[in-house]
Short mmCIF file of all heavy atoms in Angstrom, two decimals:
data_model
loop_
_atom_site.label_atom_id
_atom_site.label_comp_id
_atom_site.label_asym_id
_atom_site.label_seq_id
_atom_site.Cartn_x
_atom_site.Cartn_y
_atom_site.Cartn_z
N VAL L 1 0.92 -1.19 0.03
CA VAL L 1 -0.02 0.00 0.04
C VAL L 1 0.90 1.27 0.02
O VAL L 1 0.62 2.21 -0.73
CB VAL L 1 -0.97 0.01 1.21
CG1 VAL L 1 -1.69 1.32 1.37
CG2 VAL L 1 -2.01 -1.12 1.00
N CYS L 2 1.92 1.27 0.81
CA CYS L 2 2.81 2.41 0.88
C CYS L 2 3.48 2.70 -0.45
O CYS L 2 3.59 3.84 -0.88
CB CYS L 2 3.86 2.24 1.95
SG CYS L 2 3.24 2.47 3.64
N GLU L 3 3.92 1.68 -1.17
CA GLU L 3 4.52 1.87 -2.41
C GLU L 3 3.56 2.49 -3.45
O GLU L 3 3.87 3.42 -4.15
CB GLU L 3 5.10 0.55 -2.99
CG GLU L 3 5.74 0.65 -4.38
CD GLU L 3 7.01 1.56 -4.40
OE1 GLU L 3 7.57 1.88 -3.30
OE2 GLU L 3 7.45 1.92 -5.50
N SER L 4 2.30 2.01 -3.44
CA SER L 4 1.29 2.71 -4.33
C SER L 4 1.09 4.18 -3.91
O SER L 4 0.91 5.03 -4.76
CB SER L 4 -0.01 1.88 -4.27
OG SER L 4 -0.74 2.07 -3.04
N GLY L 5 1.11 4.40 -2.65
CA GLY L 5 1.02 5.80 -2.13
C GLY L 5 2.23 6.68 -2.48
O GLY L 5 2.13 7.89 -2.83
N ARG L 6 3.40 6.13 -2.38
CA ARG L 6 4.67 6.86 -2.64
C ARG L 6 4.63 7.29 -4.12
O ARG L 6 5.14 8.41 -4.48
CB ARG L 6 5.90 6.04 -2.40
CG ARG L 6 6.24 5.94 -0.91
CD ARG L 6 7.54 5.22 -0.70
NE ARG L 6 7.52 3.82 -0.88
CZ ARG L 6 7.34 2.88 -0.03
NH1 ARG L 6 7.12 3.20 1.28
NH2 ARG L 6 7.30 1.62 -0.33
N LEU L 7 4.08 6.45 -4.98
CA LEU L 7 3.98 6.81 -6.41
C LEU L 7 3.00 8.01 -6.63
O LEU L 7 3.26 8.87 -7.41
CB LEU L 7 3.53 5.62 -7.23
CG LEU L 7 4.55 4.53 -7.31
CD1 LEU L 7 3.89 3.24 -7.93
CD2 LEU L 7 5.81 4.87 -8.12
N LEU L 8 1.94 8.04 -5.79
CA LEU L 8 0.98 9.12 -5.95
C LEU L 8 1.68 10.45 -5.41
O LEU L 8 1.45 11.50 -6.03
CB LEU L 8 -0.24 8.85 -5.08
CG LEU L 8 -1.10 7.70 -5.60
CD1 LEU L 8 -2.17 7.38 -4.51
CD2 LEU L 8 -1.73 8.06 -6.93
N VAL L 9 2.53 10.33 -4.41
CA VAL L 9 3.30 11.53 -3.96
C VAL L 9 4.27 11.92 -5.06
O VAL L 9 4.39 13.12 -5.42
CB VAL L 9 4.04 11.17 -2.60
CG1 VAL L 9 4.93 12.35 -2.28
CG2 VAL L 9 2.98 10.95 -1.53
N ARG L 10 4.92 10.99 -5.63
CA ARG L 10 5.95 11.28 -6.69
C ARG L 10 5.39 12.10 -7.87
O ARG L 10 5.99 12.94 -8.40
CB ARG L 10 6.56 9.99 -7.28
CG ARG L 10 7.64 10.29 -8.35
CD ARG L 10 8.03 9.08 -9.15
NE ARG L 10 8.39 7.91 -8.44
CZ ARG L 10 8.75 6.78 -9.04
NH1 ARG L 10 8.83 6.67 -10.38
NH2 ARG L 10 9.02 5.69 -8.32
N ILE L 11 4.13 11.75 -8.23
CA ILE L 11 3.52 12.46 -9.36
C ILE L 11 2.78 13.75 -8.98
O ILE L 11 2.21 14.40 -9.82
CB ILE L 11 2.66 11.51 -10.25
CG1 ILE L 11 1.41 11.04 -9.38
CG2 ILE L 11 3.42 10.38 -10.82
CD1 ILE L 11 0.33 10.33 -10.12
N GLY L 12 2.82 14.04 -7.65
CA GLY L 12 2.23 15.27 -7.20
C GLY L 12 0.79 15.24 -6.96
O GLY L 12 0.07 16.24 -6.79
N ALA L 13 0.21 13.99 -6.93
CA ALA L 13 -1.25 13.87 -6.64
C ALA L 13 -1.61 13.91 -5.19
O ALA L 13 -2.76 14.17 -4.82
CB ALA L 13 -1.76 12.51 -7.27
N ALA L 14 -0.59 13.65 -4.30
CA ALA L 14 -0.92 13.52 -2.89
C ALA L 14 0.36 14.00 -2.06
O ALA L 14 1.48 13.96 -2.54
CB ALA L 14 -1.21 12.08 -2.52
N ASP L 15 0.04 14.40 -0.82
CA ASP L 15 1.06 14.69 0.16
C ASP L 15 1.49 13.42 0.85
O ASP L 15 0.71 12.48 0.84
CB ASP L 15 0.49 15.68 1.24
CG ASP L 15 0.18 17.02 0.76
OD1 ASP L 15 0.91 17.55 -0.12
OD2 ASP L 15 -0.74 17.68 1.25
N PRO L 16 2.62 13.39 1.46
CA PRO L 16 3.10 12.18 2.15
C PRO L 16 2.10 11.70 3.26
O PRO L 16 1.97 10.54 3.50
CB PRO L 16 4.48 12.59 2.77
CG PRO L 16 4.97 13.62 1.88
CD PRO L 16 3.75 14.34 1.39
N ALA L 17 1.35 12.63 3.87
CA ALA L 17 0.35 12.25 4.84
C ALA L 17 -0.72 11.35 4.28
O ALA L 17 -1.30 10.48 4.96
CB ALA L 17 -0.28 13.48 5.48
N TYR L 18 -0.95 11.47 2.98
CA TYR L 18 -1.95 10.63 2.33
C TYR L 18 -1.58 9.18 2.36
O TYR L 18 -2.44 8.33 2.53
CB TYR L 18 -2.16 11.11 0.87
CG TYR L 18 -3.33 10.49 0.18
CD1 TYR L 18 -4.63 11.02 0.35
CD2 TYR L 18 -3.17 9.45 -0.71
CE1 TYR L 18 -5.72 10.46 -0.28
CE2 TYR L 18 -4.31 8.83 -1.34
CZ TYR L 18 -5.58 9.37 -1.12
OH TYR L 18 -6.63 8.80 -1.71
N VAL L 19 -0.27 8.90 2.21
CA VAL L 19 0.19 7.54 2.21
C VAL L 19 -0.08 6.88 3.61
O VAL L 19 -0.62 5.78 3.71
CB VAL L 19 1.72 7.46 1.90
CG1 VAL L 19 2.23 6.04 1.95
CG2 VAL L 19 2.03 8.14 0.63
N GLU L 20 0.23 7.64 4.63
CA GLU L 20 -0.09 7.14 6.01
C GLU L 20 -1.60 6.88 6.22
O GLU L 20 -2.00 5.90 6.80
CB GLU L 20 0.36 8.17 7.03
CG GLU L 20 1.86 8.27 7.10
CD GLU L 20 2.29 9.45 7.96
OE1 GLU L 20 1.59 9.78 8.94
OE2 GLU L 20 3.36 10.02 7.67
N ALA L 21 -2.40 7.75 5.62
CA ALA L 21 -3.83 7.64 5.69
C ALA L 21 -4.35 6.42 4.91
O ALA L 21 -5.37 5.76 5.31
CB ALA L 21 -4.52 8.91 5.22
N MET L 22 -3.68 6.04 3.84
CA MET L 22 -4.04 4.88 3.06
C MET L 22 -3.85 3.60 3.94
O MET L 22 -4.70 2.74 3.97
CB MET L 22 -3.17 4.77 1.77
CG MET L 22 -3.49 5.84 0.78
SD MET L 22 -2.29 5.84 -0.59
CE MET L 22 -2.74 4.36 -1.50
N VAL L 23 -2.68 3.50 4.64
CA VAL L 23 -2.41 2.40 5.48
C VAL L 23 -3.46 2.34 6.65
O VAL L 23 -3.96 1.30 6.99
CB VAL L 23 -0.95 2.41 6.02
CG1 VAL L 23 -0.75 1.35 7.04
CG2 VAL L 23 0.00 2.31 4.85
N LYS L 24 -3.70 3.52 7.26
CA LYS L 24 -4.63 3.63 8.37
C LYS L 24 -6.02 3.13 7.86
O LYS L 24 -6.75 2.45 8.65
CB LYS L 24 -4.67 5.04 8.90
CG LYS L 24 -5.54 5.26 10.07
CD LYS L 24 -4.90 4.81 11.27
CE LYS L 24 -5.71 5.24 12.50
NZ LYS L 24 -5.23 4.66 13.75
N ASN L 25 -6.44 3.56 6.70
CA ASN L 25 -7.71 3.14 6.19
C ASN L 25 -7.83 1.63 6.08
O ASN L 25 -8.87 1.05 6.47
CB ASN L 25 -7.97 3.74 4.78
CG ASN L 25 -9.30 3.41 4.23
OD1 ASN L 25 -10.31 3.42 4.94
ND2 ASN L 25 -9.40 3.10 2.94
N LEU L 26 -6.82 0.95 5.63
CA LEU L 26 -6.75 -0.53 5.59
C LEU L 26 -6.87 -1.09 7.03
O LEU L 26 -7.58 -2.09 7.20
CB LEU L 26 -5.49 -0.97 4.89
CG LEU L 26 -5.26 -2.48 4.80
CD1 LEU L 26 -6.38 -3.21 4.13
CD2 LEU L 26 -3.93 -2.74 4.10
N GLU L 27 -6.10 -0.54 7.94
CA GLU L 27 -6.14 -1.10 9.32
C GLU L 27 -7.49 -0.85 9.97
O GLU L 27 -7.91 -1.78 10.64
CB GLU L 27 -5.03 -0.36 10.13
CG GLU L 27 -3.66 -0.76 9.70
CD GLU L 27 -2.54 0.07 10.34
OE1 GLU L 27 -2.84 0.99 11.02
OE2 GLU L 27 -1.35 -0.23 10.07
N VAL L 28 -8.07 0.22 9.75
CA VAL L 28 -9.36 0.61 10.45
C VAL L 28 -10.53 -0.03 9.79
O VAL L 28 -11.44 -0.61 10.42
CB VAL L 28 -9.54 2.15 10.55
CG1 VAL L 28 -10.95 2.48 11.04
CG2 VAL L 28 -8.48 2.73 11.47
N ASN L 29 -10.56 0.02 8.47
CA ASN L 29 -11.82 -0.42 7.71
C ASN L 29 -11.71 -1.77 7.11
O ASN L 29 -12.67 -2.23 6.49
CB ASN L 29 -12.15 0.65 6.67
CG ASN L 29 -12.45 1.97 7.28
OD1 ASN L 29 -13.29 2.07 8.20
ND2 ASN L 29 -11.93 3.04 6.77
N GLY L 30 -10.59 -2.38 7.18
CA GLY L 30 -10.45 -3.78 6.72
C GLY L 30 -10.11 -3.85 5.22
O GLY L 30 -9.74 -2.89 4.58
N THR L 31 -10.34 -5.04 4.71
CA THR L 31 -9.84 -5.39 3.37
C THR L 31 -10.85 -5.15 2.29
O THR L 31 -10.72 -5.79 1.20
CB THR L 31 -9.37 -6.87 3.40
OG1 THR L 31 -10.50 -7.73 3.81
CG2 THR L 31 -8.21 -7.07 4.37
N TYR L 32 -11.85 -4.30 2.50
CA TYR L 32 -12.75 -4.04 1.40
C TYR L 32 -12.01 -3.43 0.18
O TYR L 32 -12.55 -3.45 -0.94
CB TYR L 32 -13.81 -2.97 1.84
CG TYR L 32 -13.38 -1.58 1.94
CD1 TYR L 32 -13.61 -0.71 0.85
CD2 TYR L 32 -12.66 -1.07 3.04
CE1 TYR L 32 -13.15 0.57 0.91
CE2 TYR L 32 -12.22 0.20 3.09
CZ TYR L 32 -12.45 1.04 2.04
OH TYR L 32 -12.02 2.33 2.07
N ILE L 33 -10.75 -2.94 0.38
CA ILE L 33 -10.02 -2.40 -0.78
C ILE L 33 -9.58 -3.52 -1.72
O ILE L 33 -9.11 -3.20 -2.81
CB ILE L 33 -8.83 -1.60 -0.27
CG1 ILE L 33 -7.76 -2.45 0.40
CG2 ILE L 33 -9.23 -0.39 0.54
CD1 ILE L 33 -6.40 -1.83 0.63
N VAL L 34 -9.66 -4.78 -1.31
CA VAL L 34 -9.32 -5.87 -2.28
C VAL L 34 -10.64 -6.13 -3.06
O VAL L 34 -11.55 -6.82 -2.63
CB VAL L 34 -8.90 -7.11 -1.47
CG1 VAL L 34 -8.45 -8.27 -2.44
CG2 VAL L 34 -7.67 -6.79 -0.51
N ILE L 35 -10.64 -5.48 -4.19
CA ILE L 35 -11.93 -5.31 -4.94
C ILE L 35 -12.24 -6.50 -5.87
O ILE L 35 -13.39 -6.63 -6.34
CB ILE L 35 -11.86 -3.98 -5.78
CG1 ILE L 35 -10.73 -4.03 -6.75
CG2 ILE L 35 -11.82 -2.81 -4.82
CD1 ILE L 35 -10.71 -2.91 -7.73
N ALA L 36 -11.25 -7.33 -6.17
CA ALA L 36 -11.43 -8.54 -7.02
C ALA L 36 -10.30 -9.49 -6.72
O ALA L 36 -9.36 -9.09 -6.08
CB ALA L 36 -11.45 -8.05 -8.49
#
């Protein structure tokens, strides 16, 4: 998840805090992000 977020930061789509929030979302809300 962090690698996917680091790429978003690299292209200017997100701040580094967004990466942390992506991981937190997985921890708090579970694996619904595994879409298929």
Side-chain angles (χ1 to χ4, degrees):
V1 169
C2 283
E3 180 64 12
S4 72
R6 284 188 288 265
L7 293 169
L8 294 171
V9 172
R10 180 194 312 180
I11 63 169
D15 290 326
Y18 190 81
V19 181
E20 294 171 29
M22 291 169 75
V23 173
K24 183 79 169 171
N25 183 43
L26 175 58
E27 292 170 356
V28 170
N29 296 312
T31 58
Y32 78 96
I33 66 166
V34 184
I35 59 171

